[in-house]
């Protein structure tokens, strides 16, 4: 019954919307010679359907549409960031680094990747202890920013990690005999008897069986087919759900059979009703790298939830770098037509913690903070475009040492003190971060495009313009308009914006402060057109306006 009603609302909503669009189109094209009463009649109908549209609009409350990965941040810093920055700027949530106890790696010295080698499911890591984790979840939820945990459940530590009390919180393990008493797991819980490769590692990605049953980079591989393994994993995840987390990134999902993930998910509790409506399920996004050409496909995981779309950053990077003759104008069909997965399944990002330093996949086209001008454009395009669920990367600085295309410092961990503890994220008077934290999410343009995405949420692209080259512009139906100039020539064009007439403040060069604009002002004429000028050498060669930045 409920479902029927919501389908009906959806269909009616879509009809209203289509009718409104048609009226708008007719009005735009109507020659002045047409009698006034005809115009009036259409305006009346438009107003009536405007009412019906408002009634069926899905999200009357301000929406929050993007999450940020605060890579390697301490829980106490994330709690502060939720309160002082993420909530006021409309961020939906935070992806946090793996919170469970991991192997302490001393050589190389305390690499970031030690956190992807679990020793136990105690909430105890370089980011903080369980009390600090609870405090972070509570304080972030209290201001409407939700926590998404990076769940490393495919494996435990590397098979060569030896034995001893080297878990970061002192738990004992023996990697050789597959003994992890702090969970507990024993040799029966691992895939060693099932994997068929000579080395025991994944040797060939075109064989889906070994991709799931053998070790990824030597990491001892759990058998999620076993009931006790499923239960231990679910117990770990439920512990965090009960504390108040909203969902999970499932690390290395490609290496777990989709049906085993499904079985684990079916054991998960509903979200904590202190913050979430009764019956809410955790938001799940699975890390599956599918750039095409391999045996394992993203689509195998859709029934479990969302999936990371790695083609997104790789292809967007190629376009913005103008490689292979690709142009921004080609982005007119951006989305499924570029053989990306269905939008409602995709978690999208320009870069992630792996491919920003040459791990994982994506290749050289990936844009990162090291190339700030193009990076800001890429992230802003992602936030302006309706495709996918958006995740923003927030990094720390490290001393890159690139020789023949490889970064020999790709292992360097977060800013830390001599004892290995992570340094606090300090905030400079101008709002940027100190102590070598890059904080891309605090870059002005990115912050304001997060707001843009919230304002235009649910609105399709209704006008697209390009110069057949690297200049493009598009409207998010009546709510916002963006123009990008990645060309070698200046842009000067009068474009139909579809926005109500008035003066708008460009949120990239400045912002609306009261009735004033600190940046470029864009005047939308009564026929909806506006004149845009963007110098090809501008540091930020793009303009964005939306209805909440109207003066
Ligand atoms: C560390 C050491 C290792 C050591 C190991 C055990 O670095 O030398 O053997 O400990 O002692 C992270 C680090 C690893 C680290 C690990 C554990 O990245 O270096 O190993 O922690 O500490 C695959 C997986 C994907 C995974 C990615 C890194 O499919 O799930 O590798 N990402 C996640 C995390 C990541 C983490 C782990 C998983 C493990 O995000 O941070 O590892 O928990 C192909 C496949 C991909 C595959 C890549 C890389 O990609 O498609 O599935 O990702 O190879 O192996 C073209 C192709 C593209 C291909 C790519 C590279 O682009 O189109 O498909 O080339 O060949």
């Amino acid at each position: 019954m409920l479902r029927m009603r919501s389908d009906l609302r959806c269909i009616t909503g879509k009809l209203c919307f289509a009718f409104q669009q048609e009226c708008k189109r007719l009005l735009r094209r109507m020659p002045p010679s047409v009698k006034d009463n005809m115009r009036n009649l259409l305006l009346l109908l438009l107003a009536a359907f405007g009412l019906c549209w408002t009634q069926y609009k899905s999200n009357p409350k301000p929406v929050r549409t993007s999450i940020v990965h605060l890579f390697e941040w301490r829980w106490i810093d994330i709690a502060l960031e939720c309160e002082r920055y993420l909530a006021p700027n409309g961020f939906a949530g935070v992806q946090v680094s793996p919170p469970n106890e991991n192997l302490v790696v001393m050589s190389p010295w305390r690499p970031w990747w030690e956190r992807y080698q679990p020793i136990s499911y105690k909430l105890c890591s370089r980011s903080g202890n369980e009390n600090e984790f609870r405090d972070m979840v509570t304080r972030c939820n209290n201001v409407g920013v939700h926590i998404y945990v990076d769940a490393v459940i495919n494996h435990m530590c590397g098979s060569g990690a030896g034995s001893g009390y080297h878990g970061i919180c002192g738990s004992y393990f023996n990697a050789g005999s597959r003994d992890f008493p702090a969970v507990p797991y024993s040799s029966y819980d691992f895939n060693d008897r099932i994997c068929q490769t000579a080395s025991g590692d994944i040797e060939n990605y075109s064989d889906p069986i070994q991709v799931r049953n053998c070790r990824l980079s030597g990491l001892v591989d759990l058998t999620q087919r076993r009931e006790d393994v499923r239960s231990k994993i679910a117990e770990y995840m439920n512990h965090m759900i009960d504390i108040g987390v909203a969902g999970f990134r499932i690390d290395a999902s490609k290496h777990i059979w989709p049906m085993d993930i499904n079985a684990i998910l079916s054991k998960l509790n509903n979200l904590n009703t202190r913050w979430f409506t009764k019956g809410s399920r955790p938001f799940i996004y699975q890390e599956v790298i599918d750039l095409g050409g391999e045996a394992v496909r993203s689509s195998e995981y859709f029934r479990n939830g969302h999936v990371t779309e790695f083609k997104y950053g790789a292809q967007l990077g190629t376009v913005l770098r103008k490689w292979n003759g690709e142009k921004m104008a080609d982005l007119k069909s951006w989305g499924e037509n570029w053989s990306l997965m269905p939008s409602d399944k995709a978690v999208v990002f320009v870069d992630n913690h792996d491919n920003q330093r040459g791990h994982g996949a994506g290749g050289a086209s990936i844009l990162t903070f090291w190339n700030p001008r193009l990076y800001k454009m890429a992230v802003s395009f992602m936030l302006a475009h309706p495709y996918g669920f958006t995740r923003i990367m927030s990094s720390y600085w490290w001393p890159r040492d690139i020789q023949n295309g490889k970064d020999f410092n790709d292992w360097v961990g977060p800013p830390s003190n001599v004892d290995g503890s992570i340094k606090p994220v300090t905030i400079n008077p101008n709002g940027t971060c100190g102590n070598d934290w890059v904080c891309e999410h605090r870059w002005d343009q990115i912050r304001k495009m997060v707001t843009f995405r919230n304002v235009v949420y649910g609105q399709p692209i209704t006008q697209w313009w390009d110069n057949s080259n690297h200049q493009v512009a598009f409207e998010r139906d009546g709510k916002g308009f963006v123009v990008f100039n990645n060309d070698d020539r200046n842009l000067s064009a009068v474009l139909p914006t579809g926005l109500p007439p008035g003066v708008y403040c460009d949120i990239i060069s400045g912002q609306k402060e009261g009735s004033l604009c600190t940046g470029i002002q864009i005047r939308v004429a009564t026929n909806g057109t506006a004149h845009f000028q963007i110098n090809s050498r501008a540091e930020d060669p793009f303009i964005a306006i939306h209805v909440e930045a109207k003066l």
Side-chain angles (χ1 to χ4, degrees), residues 112-117 152 155 157-159 205 216-219 249 251-255 287 289 291-292 294 352-354 359-363:
W112 62 268
W113 47 251
E114 68 173 35
R115 297 189 66 174
Y116 290 88
Q117 303 204 26
V152 185
H155 51 262
C157 64
S159 57
Y205 271 85
L216 164 63
S217 306
L219 299 155
R249 166 192 186 265
D251 181 66
S253 291
K254 184 188 216 172
H255 307 281
E287 189 228 6
I289 298 177
L291 294 179
E294 272 181 33
N352 81 343
H353 71 282
D354 280 333
H359 285 235

Side-chain angles (χ1 to χ4, degrees), residues 359-432:
H359 285 235
S365 72
I366 295 298
L367 287 165
T368 68
F369 71 87
W370 293 102
N371 192 341
R373 187 170 181 268
L374 281 185
Y375 189 67
K376 283 181 279 180
M377 278 182 93
V379 175
S380 298
F381 181 86
M382 171 179 86
L383 292 169
H385 195 280
Y387 180 89
F389 181 79
T390 44
R391 179 181 66 191
I392 289 152
M393 180 66 204
S394 188
S395 321
Y396 57 80
W397 182 90
W398 76 96
R400 281 203 300 183
D401 175 16
I402 299 180
Q403 295 166 38
N404 300 323
K406 181 181 164 30
D407 180 2
F408 283 84
N409 278 341
D410 64 344
W411 57 270
V412 173
S416 11
N417 302 304
V418 281
D419 63 357
S421 58
I422 297 179
K423 282 190 181 168
V425 178
T426 50
I427 307 297
N428 301 322
N430 67 359
T432 59

Side-chain angles (χ1 to χ4, degrees), residues 48-289:
F49 273 83
L51 276 179
C52 110
W53 176 239
T54 322
Q55 188 186 344
Y56 289 107
K57 217 161 48 181
S58 50
N59 253 305
K61 283 188 295 184
V63 285
R64 296 182 176 196
T65 56
S66 304
I67 62 170
V68 54
H69 180 193
L70 296 180
F71 179 47
E72 288 279 10
W73 281 42
R74 303 180 312 163
W75 309 149
I76 52 177
D77 289 325
I78 295 178
L80 287 168
E81 192 69 350
C82 285
E83 294 166 343
R84 71 190 165 199
Y85 184 85
L86 300 175
N89 286 297
F91 283 77
V94 182
Q95 178 184 314
V96 301
S97 284
N100 62 297
E101 179 174 20
N102 60 266
L103 177 72
V104 175
V105 175
M106 297 305 282
S107 176
W109 188 72
R110 308 306 306 274
W112 62 268
W113 47 251
E114 68 173 35
R115 297 189 66 174
Y116 290 88
Q117 303 204 26
I119 293 299
S120 82
Y121 295 140
K122 291 179 192 159
L123 296 180
C124 181
S125 68
R126 269 219 274 186
S127 288
N129 60 29
E130 176 161 341
N131 284 340
E132 288 160 337
F133 183 83
R134 284 176 180 275
D135 183 56
M136 164 187 74
V137 174
T138 302
R139 286 165 60 190
C140 290
N141 277 336
N142 284 347
V143 292
V145 179
H146 300 314
I147 299 295
Y148 300 89
V149 163
D150 196 347
V152 185
I153 58 171
N154 169 63
H155 51 262
M156 300 299 277
C157 64
S159 57
S163 66
Y165 295 85
H166 309 312
I168 192 159
C169 292
S171 291
Y172 174 84
F173 68 95
N174 185 334
S177 61
R178 312 285 192 260
D179 192 19
F180 295 87
V183 178
Y185 285 138
S186 69
S187 62
Y188 296 104
D189 298 317
F190 293 86
N191 268 329
D192 300 280
R193 291 174 197 80
I194 300 168
C195 167
Q196 298 289 317
T197 64
S199 62
D201 288 344
I202 299 165
E203 295 171 359
N204 177 5
Y205 271 85
S206 38
D207 172 4
I209 299 179
Q210 59 174 282
V211 171
R212 270 65 172 259
N213 290 350
C214 299
R215 294 182 311 227
L216 164 63
S217 306
L219 299 155
V220 294
D221 199 45
L222 288 163
T223 307
Q224 288 82 1
R225 206 168 303 173
R226 277 176 67 90
E227 193 49 40
D228 67 328
V229 174
R230 289 176 179 177
S231 299
K232 283 292 156 202
I233 292 172
E235 193 183 301
Y236 164 53
M237 293 167 85
N238 279 333
H239 180 45
M240 292 184 283
I241 287 175
D242 295 347
I243 289 173
V245 311
F248 302 93
R249 166 192 186 265
I250 302 195
D251 181 66
S253 291
K254 184 188 216 172
H255 307 281
I256 310 176
W257 292 98
M259 62 183 175
D260 292 340
I261 294 184
N262 198 268
I264 293 165
L265 297 183
S266 69
K267 292 178 185 290
L268 297 187
N269 297 343
N270 289 336
L271 299 184
N272 188 324
T273 50
R274 179 166 166 202
W275 297 287
F276 303 93
T277 45
K278 197 160 178 267
S280 299
R281 299 296 294 159
F283 178 73
I284 299 297
Y285 54 111
Q286 301 155 96
E287 189 228 6
V288 179
I289 298 177

